[in-house]
Amino acid sequence: MTVTTLAHSIYSESMETLDGNDASSGVIVEEGGVTGSDSDSTVVGKGYYGLDEFLTEEPYEEQCPGGYHRGYVGETLGPDDRYVLLRKLGWGGYCTVWLALDGRQDRHVAIKIHKSSAEYSLAARKELQMLRHVQACSQSSSHPGAAHVVELLDAFAHSGPHGLHVCLVFEPLNTSVLSLLGQCHRTGFCNLKEAGESCVDGGLPLEMAKEVTRQVLLALDFLHRSCHVVHTDIKPENVMLEFPNLPSKWDVVRYLHEYTSEHLDRDVKSATSRPLPSPFACNFSQEVAGMPRPNFAQACGKDWKSFFKVKLVDLGNACSTDCRPQSYGVQTLEYRAPEIFLQYPKWGCAADIWSTACLFSEMCTARYLFKSQGSDFFPETASQLKLFATVLGPASDKFLRQCALADDYELCVNARQVRSLSENYVYELGINRTLSQQMEQFLLPMLQWDPTRRADAIACAKHPFLRNGKLKIGKLRDSLKKPLKGSFKKILGTGSKSL
């Protein structure tokens, strides 16, 4: 499913529970008893870079008992009607997300309203417990990565016509990296001119991609070392920008909502998804009555890194390093590490590092790093393994001996290395050779077949490549100086949106 844009949210606040409720779940129930809900790990789906698919809203037939809550503008939720729904921000396979006014704190929040089906109960409880565990670790830690991980603000259960819906309340976040890529991919427009040029048309500016990656790696180091948690679903949808502090993010959210509210159809109560625009991708020229216009030019100026912050969201599939799921049904295919494909029993934090390498490359190139097309005779999984070997060379026998599906590797992988990662960047995308080699030096320690040999998050975050200054236009791309001898895409049978 494609989501228009999803504002997850966060803040840390002590959470109360009513008498008789399960304190471990942290859910306040408006009426009736507590049930769970889902942890929507696919809340923001991807057609490709934010382009809408056929369904622009959640299916009407799923607005039924066990399904979505049909919210409307002006509806009140939470204990003592604390939250008033203002606009729908987006939707996903398991929930809708709304901007709401918190009457107690007089600020805007984002509320994720889950489907009410009982099948999501265990997943919801797991997600909520994980969020509270991470929040507890954050409160007792000075780790810089804690500021880049989503934190829960509030949780309650809403009794509606379709059942009891678990609602998670967060601080509104800005656009996702996926949506930002979509903006660049479709229009090439980005307000962060000081972030420099992109490596290819449609990609994010290189310095922005570096800064996103550095902050994600800090977040992962906090999760891995301080919380002992593996995220398991690193991808552009799950990295979201914060609203800049101008002077506070709460003021920015209020301004953006009022700025665009004139376009809302106030007569239609079952609202269409209308995400808040991004200051980093849109211009705002008009004043809002009674509100000063934030100085967005300052956030996009030379000191942009002081305002550009990202948060890692969606802990619905996260797991403890001490209690990993026995199944290998984790990670989205395009970001899935080889140990998951091959069922290496000691998989863990290193799987997140592999996904982060894929994320960085995708931000720079507007293409998946590894995305092959399967067929009836050559399944997608086998194609991915073949693609890994084609770019990275063969896996070691020591690693394969520990994998339950090592035979699958032997059946589908040709050990001959066709072309290195840097050569692909040069000959397929026209990226400057020096830059391609620098990118390869940064990525290869993160893309080792054997997870025990993969660099950890803090080592990657401190890599010199991420701390380099801005590269000027004309030094990022080279024209292709010789024809390709057999396109890499044709050799691998990959799709047009793959490197």
Side-chain angles (χ1 to χ4, degrees), residues 420-440:
S420 71
L421 191 58
S422 61
E423 289 174 325
N424 288 316
Y425 286 143
V426 172
Y427 294 124
E428 287 295 329
L429 301 177
I431 299 176
N432 171 273
R433 182 176 293 277
T434 300
L435 175 58
S436 296
Q437 292 172 345
Q438 292 174 343
M439 292 170 66
E440 182 180 60

Side-chain angles (χ1 to χ4, degrees), residues 466-484:
L466 296 184
R467 300 197 299 271
N468 287 346
K470 180 177 66 176
L471 296 178
K472 296 181 180 179
I473 186 171
K475 295 192 175 182
L476 299 187
R477 309 173 195 171
D478 280 343
S479 58
L480 298 182
K481 296 182 175 144
K482 59 182 178 179
L484 299 182

Side-chain angles (χ1 to χ4, degrees), residues 45-89:
K46 164 161 58 174
Y48 197 71
Y49 295 145
L51 299 178
D52 286 338
E53 295 174 352
F54 296 108
L55 294 176
T56 57
E57 299 298 330
E58 66 273 20
Y60 179 78
E61 61 272 16
E62 294 187 32
Q63 296 180 9
C64 61
Y68 294 102
H69 173 67
R70 191 173 186 180
Y72 57 88
V73 174
E75 182 180 15
T76 57
L77 304 178
D80 303 320
D81 294 334
R82 176 177 176 176
Y83 304 103
V84 181
L85 300 187
L86 301 177
R87 68 198 291 168
K88 190 164 74 172
L89 297 171

Side-chain angles (χ1 to χ4, degrees), residues 203-424:
L204 296 185
L206 176 62
E207 292 307 310
M208 184 192 296
K210 287 182 180 182
E211 186 62 18
V212 170
T213 304
R214 186 187 68 83
Q215 293 184 29
V216 168
L217 287 166
L218 286 176
L220 288 177
D221 187 61
F222 166 68
L223 288 178
H224 295 169
R225 291 201 299 159
S226 299
C227 306
H228 306 289
V229 164
V230 189
H231 186 281
T232 78
D233 203 15
I234 303 298
K235 55 185 178 181
E237 296 93 311
N238 289 338
V239 180
M240 302 194 73
L241 277 62
E242 287 193 76
F243 288 103
N245 286 306
L246 295 168
S248 77
K249 53 193 168 188
W250 307 105
D251 294 327
V252 171
V253 172
R254 187 183 298 272
Y255 170 84
L256 293 176
H257 171 63
E258 294 297 331
Y259 182 91
T260 56
S261 63
E262 63 185 42
H263 302 296
L264 295 178
D265 185 353
R266 297 183 182 275
D267 295 328
V268 179
K269 294 222 166 183
S270 57
T272 302
S273 295
R274 292 180 175 92
L276 293 174
S278 171
F280 298 110
C282 303
N283 289 321
F284 306 92
S285 57
Q286 301 176 4
E287 300 291 336
V288 173
M291 294 185 63
R293 180 161 58 94
N295 186 5
F296 293 124
Q298 180 184 5
C300 298
K302 292 184 178 180
D303 196 29
W304 65 274
K305 288 186 180 180
S306 299
F307 298 92
F308 188 85
K309 307 296 180 185
V310 302
K311 287 202 173 186
L312 196 56
V313 303
D314 196 348
L315 298 178
N317 280 340
C319 63
S320 167
T321 55
D322 301 322
C323 187
R324 299 183 303 274
Q326 294 182 351
S327 69
Y328 292 84
V330 296
Q331 298 191 298
T332 301
L333 178 73
E334 292 82 10
Y335 313 93
R336 190 174 299 161
E339 61 265 31
I340 306 301
F341 282 116
L342 295 172
Q343 297 191 7
Y344 174 73
K346 299 178 182 179
W347 70 271
C349 297
D352 285 341
I353 304 302
W354 178 282
S355 300
T356 305
C358 297
L359 168 68
F360 172 76
S361 180
E362 186 174 344
M363 288 190 292
C364 291
T365 66
R367 291 160 175 80
Y368 294 119
L369 177 56
F370 298 114
K371 172 61 177 176
S372 59
Q373 291 180 341
S375 67
D376 292 340
F377 302 100
F378 209 64
E380 204 167 34
T381 295
S383 298
Q384 286 290 99
L385 292 174
K386 181 178 180 181
L387 186 52
F388 297 163
T390 304
V391 177
L392 304 173
S396 69
D397 291 338
K398 178 182 177 182
F399 167 64
L400 290 173
R401 282 195 297 268
Q402 301 177 72
C403 297
L405 299 183
D407 289 345
D408 289 8
Y409 170 92
E410 300 294 345
L411 289 172
C412 69
V413 169
N414 182 343
R416 182 171 62 90
Q417 186 172 354
V418 174
R419 184 185 284 167
S420 71
L421 191 58
S422 61
E423 289 174 325
N424 288 316

Side-chain angles (χ1 to χ4, degrees), residues 143-154:
H143 194 295
H148 299 294
V149 180
V150 66
E151 294 177 275
L152 186 68
L153 167 61
D154 193 9

Side-chain angles (χ1 to χ4, degrees), residues 22 31 51 108 120 127 145 155 171 191 208 276 282 328 373:
D22 184 353
E31 298 178 12
L51 299 178
H108 291 75
Y120 302 124
E127 180 181 19
E171 161 196 359
N191 279 339
M208 184 192 296
L276 293 174
C282 303
Y328 292 84
Q373 291 180 341

